[in-house]
Amino acid sequence: NIFDLIEFKVDLYPNPTKDVIYIKKEISEEITVVIKDVFDRVVHRQISNKKEFTVDMNDLNSGMYYVIITSATQANMQKVVKE
């Protein structure tokens, strides 16, 4: 279960966004970023081993999304509004 994992600190900005979100994390592990819409559908998936990277949300409709970031041992979930 994702919520049994240890939560780690992630900076995600800007929020709300018009096109791109920037993600900055403290850990150096490879992570998976999954974006889900309010109907729990996966609308984006990305893997990164960088501490700072971008996620392009240009193709997504306006609305609220859940950004779920997981590593092998840690997880973080944040809400993002796409304008």
Side-chain angles (χ1 to χ4, degrees), residues 6-52:
I6 300 167
E7 185 172 279
F8 64 99
K9 180 159 173 36
V10 174
D11 292 323
L12 189 149
Y13 57 92
N15 189 8
T17 185
K18 292 181 189 255
D19 50 11
V20 173
I21 54 174
Y22 298 89
I23 296 177
K24 184 177 179 181
K25 60 188 178 76
E26 295 177 345
I27 63 171
S28 57
E29 297 177 49
E30 179 177 275
I31 55 102
T32 300
V33 176
V34 173
I35 299 178
K36 291 186 173 187
D37 64 15
V38 294
F39 302 107
D40 203 34
R41 295 180 297 212
V42 175
V43 296
H44 180 84
R45 184 181 307 268
Q46 179 174 334
I47 296 172
S48 179
N49 59 2
K50 298 177 182 177
K51 285 194 170 190
E52 295 183 40

